[in-house]
Each structure stands twice: as C-alpha cells, then as structure tokens.
Amino acid sequence: MIGRKKDSYSGWYIVIAWLGIFGCNLVAQDGGGGRTGDNDLMSSAVELNPPNQRLYHFDTAATDTDPSRALGAHNNGTLQNGINLPDNHANYYHFRGPDALDTDDWGTLRLVNVGEAVATDWGDATRPCVFEDLAPPTRFGILDLSRGSEVTRTFGGVYPPHAWHQNGRDMDVRYLRTDGREDPLDISGPDSVVYDNFATADLMTCFLSYRDVDRIIVDTEFVKIDFGGDPVVLHDTTHRDHFHISIVDPDGTAN
Amino acid sequence: MRLRLIGNLAGVIAAIWLPGLASAQTAPTFARLQPGNRVEILDLRNDTWRQVYRSDAWKTDALSVGPSGDRLALLAWSEGQVADHGYVVPPVPHLTVIDTSGRILSRPVAGVQRYAWCGTNCIVYITGLYVESDIGFVPDSLAMLNVTSGQIVALPKPPTPIGLTWGAFDSAAYVKNLAREGEAVIYRIDLRTFTLEATAYKDHLFSPTGRYYMHRQERSDTVIIYETSTNTPVDVSRLWATARLIGWGSPTEDVLLLARRPASPKREKRERLPFRAQRPGQAEPELTYQLYDLPSRRIGQTLSGRLDRSVGPDHQRLVQRGGDYQTLQAR
C-alpha cells in the first residue's frame, strides 16, 4: 500500500534537488544504475536486447552509433531503424496487450533512453525527482511506442488505434495504482479509488526532468494533479487509462 | 434567418424521425453525471440539481443533452475482466437514451464508442472494441439510431472512423478518419441519401451555421479557425495571447467560448516546477469566460466564475459563481 506522503518539506530541499534535475541530459544507464562505459548513448540492456542484437549487432564494449531516425511527424511519419524497448526492467513493465511480441515497442533511441532513464530514477533510493510520495516505488507500466517488424525491418507509420505514435517519439504509460497491481486503471471509473495521484505526479515529474520530453498528455479533469500551468501538459479526454509522453525530434524536423 | 433555417431543418428531420415534436422544451436543459452513475438535471429557477436517473453500469460517461433539451444520452459501460495485467474481456459501452424524467427511450446499443445527436430523435454513432490506446477503440461500424422506434440504419463509413459530429446546417454527419496516405481526414455522410463523400476539410468541429470550423492541431493547444466555404484559415491568432479556446459557445451563432488566461508569474527559461497531487477539496480557480463573435470579431458576454462541468444542448454552458449558475448566451 502506497500511502506515506510528505506533509511538508523544505523549500530549499526542492530548489537544491530541482537544480540537480534541471537540464538532465540523457545518459544511458543499465537497469542497475551503472553507466555502460562504452561511451555511446545505449545501455547494455538496449544493446543486448535480442531484437536489437539481431538487427544492429551492438557491441557493449564498443561505441555504437544511433541508427534510428524519426521521419516526418508524430501523426504522419515513419521510423527508420527503430530501437526495441527491453521488455523487462526492475522498475517498469511493458504491457503489449493483444500485440505480438516486439511489434509495439519500437522507438528512436532517445525515446527508449527516456523510458530507461526514468525507470532508473524511479528505483533510485534518493529518487531525485520524487516530491510527493516517499513509499517504495512500484513498477510503472509502459504501453505502446511505435509499431515495427524485425522481420521486414519496417518501423512506425499509421498505428491504429493511435493517431500519433508514428515516428518513434511517443510512449504511453499507465497511471499508477495504490494497490501495486500491474493492471489497467481508468481514472474516471470506479477503480479510480486505487488511483495513486501522488505517485503519478512524481512519475510525470521524473519524465519531465528530461529535456527531451516535450509533451505530457493527460485528462486533466480526472488526473487530480496540479501542473502549475506548465504548457508541456495537454488535456485530452481520451487519456483516462494512460498518459502520453512524447519527445522532441532527436534528429531535427527537417527529415 | 439562420434560426429559421435551422428550425426548418430540425422540423424536416423531426417529421421523418419523430412525428410528435410537441414535447420539445424551450428552456435549455443542463445535466451532469455524479458519482454513483447518477444523472442530475439543473432547475435554473432555484439553482438546484435533481436526480433523474441512476445507472447500475460499471461506469458512465459522455453525457449529452439532445438538441430539443428533452432527451439525454450517455455511455454506460459494463465492467471488463482483467487477467495477466490486461483485459481479457474489455469493458463495453452501451449507448443509453433517456428523457428528462429518467425513462429509457430505446434499447441500449452495445459497443458505441463515439456518438452525436443528429436531430431530436436521431443519433449517429461509431461502434468499436475498447483498447488501451490514444483513440481508445478499434472501430468497426457506423450507424444511425431512431430513438423512438429503436430502428438502426447502417451507414457507409470511411476506412478508420474515430470521431463524428452532426452538421445541423446541412443535415450531414461529418466523420473523422484516421487517414493513411491518400485518404481524406474528414468524410461527409448525407443523412437523407446515406451517401459518403470525402472532403478537403481538416477537422469536423463546425460552427452552428457551418460557416466556420475549428481545427485542433495534433499534440498542441493551437487551434486554427477555418472558413468552410474557402477552406482557408481565419486570422484570430491575437486571441490566443490572452485567452484559451474552450469551444463553440452558442447553439445558433458563430461564437467562440474563450477562457482568459490568468496572469502568471514570469518563469525563467526552462524552469519547470514539480507536479503536485491535488489535495481533496482543493478548489479550481475562478476564470473569466468570454464569448467572441467571429463574423464581427467582437467580444460579447463576459462572465467570471468556474465553468461548470455540466452539459447543455448545442454548445450551451453554465458558469458557476458562489452557488449561482449563469448561462453563457450569445446576444
């Protein structure tokens, strides 16, 4: 049961902690928190993830280059050389629903890195992006990224039932539950009694601590979180069973 | 003139779908969903709500008031079954139509994910299977319900319908399509001939007269107003510096409903504050709401308070202040 909330805290604590977070650039980390040491932007987990190994032959002892490219726009684009999100992590789970294995979890390396980096923060004992909830974290649930096929080497494109998610820059994340179950949650329905808006506020803050994140889409009517008027947050009534993270175009918008 | 035209169209549709339109009310009806799947209606004479209906569904949403004000529709969801972290049986929404006394008017229609009133007695809808995703469902059919008779007529559909509205101005349903290359975004279905045609429109949120439509850009607060006849943008960009668009603001006039942006302290570039969970009882701030007349480019009625979450017929909304409700009305 997550329920231990901070009733008060020092303003200085926030300033200091937040200064540490501001401007976080992505540094690939292993699930355990250590850097890979090969001076590239990929964690060992990403490099050793079987689909990525078969496609790109990444080497954990060498400096690999990022092959992924986001082409076009979120709602009209494709993904070139998609990177597969590792399915298992100590601090997140990937729920693929009716989709076949490794067909719904492809993104640009930058997007995959955001997911991994937030997961690492989420499990960090010091939890630098956590302000609301001091309870031990439960794993958060990642839903769809972009579609892809290792066999045909095609990634991205129109992905019903999503309007976006086309060029490897979008990720859906479940709202967190107080009962710790890794199940769906509709914050507008009766199971909203187990909705943990404290932990969810922290998780969103963790995502937002990375400069790459340029949009968080939620149903602001039901989410019970004060976003302080942050323009990064966009209201959408179809986001009651998950929130949506999107990132800036890693390779620019000219392609 | 516009009022007369709309009245005539409504009369024609009513003649087809509801011979006895005499029950149509004149005062606007405002309704809201309350916890426990309760539907309440506001008595504007004394600003009190009364319960008219309670659903035993798992959850209810998408409450709306029909154009005549004497009928309400909502989606009542059955509970899904969860196993292995996801739904093995997804929740199913049922389109339920009631009158203002809470009487169910037609047999609920299963699987309705999006719907729109198409007259006093007519609802067009998209059915589909619920999926945890941005659109929320995989569409499978498009149809029209006669509320009185319960008759359902299948409609032609674009490849992937994901939203729809009704254009009272030309008796057509406008359907948003999740467009692949070469496909149109908006399709028009003539509800008299049941013919489907692609359009060049970018969105389907038409003004009451059909003279304008608004296009909400994907992943953005940015809204562009288009003149329908030319399909070209209307420059109202200066509005967005001081106000946020809520939607259309009148059942008959081409009026935008705006919320003025409150003055906020200047932030350093890139400064981001942590998100905070709202505490129980935390009140939403009061804002100033305005109606903006598009043809004349003038601000009309202005009210301060909280925009009530209740729904009224045809874009009509309530502003609450100190327990009193006021209707936003175009002059």
Side-chain angles (χ1 to χ4, degrees):
Chain A
M1 177 70 181
I2 294 175
R4 192 155 50 92
K5 317 295 183 191
K6 288 179 184 176
D7 294 319
S8 63
Y9 47 82
S10 157
W12 282 110
Y13 167 74
I14 290 182
V15 171
I16 293 166
W18 205 242
L19 281 174
I21 294 168
F22 272 150
C24 276
N25 286 310
L26 285 171
V27 177
Q29 294 180 325
D30 289 323
R35 292 193 185 187
T36 54
D38 56 5
N39 290 320
D40 61 24
L41 293 171
M42 284 173 232
S43 71
S44 295
V46 168
E47 290 176 318
L48 296 174
N49 193 27
N52 297 331
Q53 268 297 308
R54 289 190 290 266
L55 284 168
Y56 310 117
H57 313 291
F58 294 134
D59 184 343
T60 55
T63 304
D64 295 301
T65 56
D66 173 10
S68 62
R69 295 286 179 275
L71 307 180
H74 295 265
N75 62 337
N76 183 21
T78 58
L79 171 64
Q80 193 174 70
N81 297 325
I83 302 294
N84 189 262
L85 179 80
D87 289 312
N88 297 306
H89 191 286
N91 299 316
Y92 73 71
Y93 64 96
H94 168 56
F95 177 70
R96 58 186 168 86
D99 299 320
L101 181 67
D102 294 330
T103 60
D104 65 346
D105 53 354
W106 298 86
T108 54
L109 176 62
R110 292 274 278 275
L111 179 70
V112 171
N113 281 351
V114 165
E116 279 206 315
V118 168
T120 301
D121 289 347
W122 196 239
D124 186 340
T126 61
R127 303 181 73 192
C129 51
V130 170
F131 295 95
E132 293 284 282
D133 196 311
L134 292 172
T138 54
R139 296 200 305 173
F140 61 90
I142 295 178
L143 302 172
D144 291 341
L145 279 67
S146 287
R147 73 195 313 179
S149 166
E150 183 187 334
V151 175
T152 62
R153 290 187 172 234
T154 53
F155 308 98
V158 176
Y159 187 10
H162 299 279
W164 311 321
H165 291 258
Q166 294 198 18
N167 65 349
R169 295 163 55 199
D170 302 285
M171 172 190 291
D172 288 342
V173 180
R174 278 177 171 167
Y175 294 106
L176 289 159
R177 303 171 61 106
T178 56
D179 59 10
R181 293 174 65 167
E182 297 177 350
D183 285 344
L185 174 71
D186 182 334
I187 59 173
S188 72
D191 53 1
S192 63
V193 295
V194 293
Y195 166 49
D196 193 334
N197 59 325
F198 288 83
T200 301
D202 282 340
L203 181 59
M204 290 180 179
T205 301
C206 289
F207 273 104
L208 202 57
S209 67
Y210 289 92
R211 284 180 180 171
D212 285 342
V213 174
D214 70 347
R215 267 285 180 228
I216 297 179
I217 305 174
V218 302
D219 187 325
T220 56
E221 182 181 343
F222 292 98
V223 77
K224 297 179 187 169
I225 293 174
D226 180 1
F227 297 109
D230 196 314
V232 166
V233 177
L234 184 68
H235 167 70
D236 189 284
T237 56
T238 63
H239 287 77
R240 294 174 178 175
D241 52 13
H242 69 279
F243 61 93
H244 181 113
I245 298 292
S246 69
I247 65 164
V248 297
D249 194 328
D251 47 90
T253 54
N255 57 6
Chain B
M1 181 61 192
R2 277 188 215 128
L3 275 171
R4 191 178 302 158
L5 177 63
I6 290 170
N8 288 343
L9 284 172
V12 170
I13 290 158
I16 297 169
W17 289 85
L18 179 64
L21 186 60
S23 62
Q25 297 177 343
T26 51
T29 300
F30 290 95
R32 68 181 184 185
L33 273 171
Q34 289 292 88
N37 298 319
R38 294 180 294 114
V39 177
E40 294 182 341
I41 288 180
L42 178 65
D43 185 339
L44 275 168
R45 289 166 301 185
N46 52 20
D47 287 345
T48 57
W49 294 90
R50 67 183 167 88
Q51 180 178 320
V52 296
Y53 179 71
R54 178 169 187 161
S55 169
D56 58 2
W58 175 63
K59 78 159 189 172
T60 50
D61 62 12
L63 177 69
S64 68
V65 178
S68 57
D70 59 349
R71 290 153 186 227
L72 314 173
L74 67 145
L75 298 182
W77 293 71
S78 61
E79 187 173 9
Q81 290 178 25
V82 176
D84 294 331
H85 310 307
Y87 286 109
V88 288
V89 177
V92 176
H94 296 75
L95 175 65
T96 305
V97 186
I98 59 175
D99 63 18
T100 51
S101 66
R103 185 170 60 99
I104 294 179
L105 296 181
S106 64
R107 186 177 166 192
V109 183
V112 173
Q113 298 281 355
R114 301 281 187 275
Y115 74 89
W117 288 90
C118 47
T120 57
N121 193 40
C122 166
I123 293 177
V124 285
Y125 60 83
I126 303 169
T127 61
L129 189 70
Y130 168 83
V131 178
E132 274 182 286
S133 63
D134 291 343
I135 292 166
F137 66 100
V138 178
D140 57 31
S141 75
L142 220 150
M144 180 168 69
L145 168 71
N146 180 313
V147 172
T148 303
S149 70
Q151 181 191 0
I152 291 172
V153 178
L155 297 174
K157 69 178 180 67
T160 313
I162 57 173
L164 79 172
T165 57
W166 180 54
F169 52 90
D170 70 347
S171 298
Y174 287 87
V175 185
K176 190 166 193 173
N177 176 47
L178 182 58
R180 291 170 174 79
E181 198 168 342
E183 293 177 359
V185 174
I186 303 299
Y187 286 77
R188 178 182 183 274
I189 303 174
D190 190 315
L191 294 183
R192 292 164 296 203
T193 61
F194 301 141
T195 51
L196 175 77
E197 60 178 331
T199 78
Y201 303 136
K202 300 176 190 309
D203 220 323
H204 63 336
L205 307 170
F206 290 92
S207 68
T209 70
R211 182 174 168 185
Y212 304 96
Y213 71 87
M214 63 175 68
H215 172 44
R216 289 187 184 272
Q217 293 200 308
E218 304 285 6
R219 305 178 55 259
S220 162
D221 279 329
T222 306
V223 178
I224 301 176
I225 307 296
Y226 282 80
E227 183 134 24
T228 307
S229 60
T230 59
N231 209 22
T232 54
V234 176
D235 185 12
V236 288
S237 54
R238 67 183 179 83
L239 288 176
W240 314 141
T242 56
R244 175 172 57 88
L245 179 66
I246 305 292
W248 296 110
S250 162
T252 54
E253 305 293 319
D254 295 334
V255 168
L256 298 174
L257 173 57
L258 308 172
R260 289 191 65 82
R261 296 184 194 279
S264 54
K266 279 192 174 178
R267 290 184 182 180
E268 293 297 320
K269 195 178 180 185
R270 299 206 62 79
E271 182 186 7
R272 285 174 170 174
L273 301 174
F275 298 149
R276 304 298 312 275
Q278 286 175 347
R279 267 60 182 177
Q282 191 170 331
E284 292 176 23
E286 291 193 347
L287 295 175
T288 300
Y289 296 94
Q290 295 179 319
L291 293 177
Y292 179 82
D293 185 69
L294 263 174
S296 67
R297 306 284 200 276
R298 286 186 179 166
I299 294 287
Q301 187 189 17
T302 298
L303 285 175
S304 292
R306 295 185 185 91
L307 192 67
D308 196 67
R309 288 177 178 169
S310 59
V311 292
D314 294 333
H315 313 299
Q316 294 183 77
R317 298 294 300 267
L318 290 172
V319 170
Q320 184 192 18
R321 188 170 196 182
D324 295 329
Y325 292 94
Q326 285 186 278
T327 311
L328 280 159
Q329 288 179 326
R331 294 191 178 94

